[in-house]
Amino acid sequence: MFFKINAECHIGFKKLTAADLGIGTSHQTHIGLYEGVLNFLPDVDVVSTAMLICDGYCDIIKCYFDRIENPDGTFRSPKIRIGGSEESVVKRIREFASADTGADWYLLWFGLESEELVFILLNANSEDYHRLHSYISDNDKILDESHPAFAAILQYIEDKVNRVSVDLQKDLEVVAQTGRGVHEYKPKDIEKANKYFCQTGRAGEELINEYFDKECAAGHIKSYLWMNASRESGLPFDFIVSSDSSAALHVDVKSTQFDCNQPIVFSDGEIRFISEYGRDTYQVYRVFDMSNEQKKLCIYHEISSYADAILAKQNIFGAEISQLSTSVNLIKYAVRPNIFNVGQEIML
DNA sequence: AAGTCGGAGTCTATCTTATT
DNA sequence: AATAAGATAGACTCCGACTT
């Protein structure tokens, strides 16, 4: 389970009013929430990001959160504001609602472990609403452990979040490796994605280790050496494979939880190695669908022309910035593998 | 100058909890 | 069980900023 609910473990549920949705005569510019959920947030001026989910839609957008202030300076009802000119959760919710003004709209909200906020907008005619409605009644406001169907509700919601946010998770897998666009995500999510990615990488190498074992037994290759067998070697490849017919191959394993079109990330060191030493010997073993029962492998070879092209560009860039007494350190490249030639898919 | 929009505070109906 | 007190969600109003 990638996304996990906050330790607070409270879920807010309300039927949105006309004023909340910005229809009718009210000038209300916020959606009122209930006390008791999102208690971990401060009282004023919270500009955060939140995940908004509606049917199959899922995106991370700005969320302006605060609480109504009493005359004595204390705070009460939390609310999310429409915010300025930028896209915001309230704005997007009102857009959805204005597309179907005849329907009733419901909102579920809660925090994740990472303190990311999640809002699930439900059309009363939707499948999601009907499913949840078998557990929740209209006068439920805050759902917590004391609710008889809490486990079922939580299961359904976590499933929903995980299912609908696959694209975001794919993005996170790349972000964890490259550091690109880090600001869009919470550090905790990235940390977690990083851990996941390391585990995935190790598991991928173990699979390939078994694969080569079988290849050896079948006589397809003579021998192989797993560089990272005991610990991370830091070399730009993971295996050296010897066979009778050709020179020793350098094999780098690139694993992903997702499909084979997930970007492959190369480090600067790997690109240099491919171009300088690995011309005809370097192969990338992409292990994919790691989160499925059936893990698969496809092999990319002849990637030296790609490495040459990248290196040429990098050298131009390096020469440019050297005029500013600056050099390049630690570049990462994320590439869509569909630009490479690929052989047959192999079932692992 | 008039109109519109957004933010903030205030009022109140309604719901919840405590007390008798 | 009836009533009072307290809490709070919902919606209105005011005000200032911005737009036309």
Side-chain angles (χ1 to χ4, degrees), chain A residues 299-346:
Chain A
I299 300 170
Y300 299 103
H301 36 88
E302 298 169 9
I303 47 178
S304 57
S305 58
Y306 166 78
D308 290 345
I310 292 291
L311 206 54
K313 301 273 187 207
Q314 187 185 312
N315 286 338
I316 293 168
F317 176 63
E320 290 278 330
I321 63 169
S322 71
Q323 294 167 8
L324 303 166
S325 304
T326 305
S327 64
V328 178
N329 283 314
L330 295 173
I331 297 190
K332 300 265 186 174
Y333 301 98
V335 56
R336 286 271 172 207
N338 52 15
I339 69 163
F340 302 130
N341 294 325
V342 61
Q344 224 180 350
E345 272 183 24
I346 298 163

Side-chain angles (χ1 to χ4, degrees), chain A residues 30-33 64-68 76-81:
Chain A
H30 61 259
I31 293 179
L33 306 177
Y64 301 83
F65 174 96
D66 62 358
R67 293 182 167 84
I68 291 182
R76 50 185 185 94
S77 314
K79 56 185 163 67
I80 45 174
R81 285 183 281 112

Side-chain angles (χ1 to χ4, degrees), chain A residues 127-236:
Chain A
E127 156 116 36
D128 280 327
Y129 176 76
H130 284 125
R131 291 286 295 280
L132 282 168
H133 197 62
S134 56
Y135 309 126
I136 311 176
S137 76
D138 263 19
N139 22 336
D140 281 329
K141 291 182 169 176
I142 293 169
L143 312 167
D144 60 20
E145 288 98 330
S146 67
H147 193 284
F150 189 70
I153 295 164
L154 202 59
Q155 185 66 51
Y156 189 80
I157 289 176
E158 285 197 348
D159 263 12
K160 177 79 190 170
V161 172
N162 280 297
R163 199 152 16 95
V164 90
S165 62
V166 164
D167 286 344
L168 291 176
Q169 292 178 55
K170 285 186 180 179
D171 198 35
L172 256 175
E173 194 183 71
V174 179
V175 169
Q177 297 169 72
T178 61
R180 173 189 58 79
V182 164
H183 59 281
E184 291 171 37
Y185 296 98
K186 295 280 191 298
K188 264 193 173 173
D189 283 338
I190 292 173
E191 206 179 289
K192 205 163 169 182
N194 229 326
K195 220 175 93 194
Y196 258 64
F197 177 71
C198 288
Q199 286 170 4
T200 307
R202 183 74 196 177
E205 287 183 34
E206 279 166 6
L207 279 173
I208 294 303
N209 187 42
E210 289 167 23
Y211 172 76
F212 281 146
D213 231 17
K214 287 181 203 148
E215 288 286 284
C216 256
H220 295 149
I221 59 175
K222 201 166 80 186
S223 65
Y224 71 97
L225 189 58
W226 185 8
M227 312 313 288
N228 304 332
S230 50
R231 63 192 165 81
E232 200 57 39
S233 67
L235 291 168

Side-chain angles (χ1 to χ4, degrees), chain A residues 237-251:
Chain A
F237 49 86
D238 300 318
F239 291 89
I240 292 180
V241 180
S242 310
S243 62
D244 291 325
S245 52
S246 58
L249 295 175
H250 299 101
V251 170

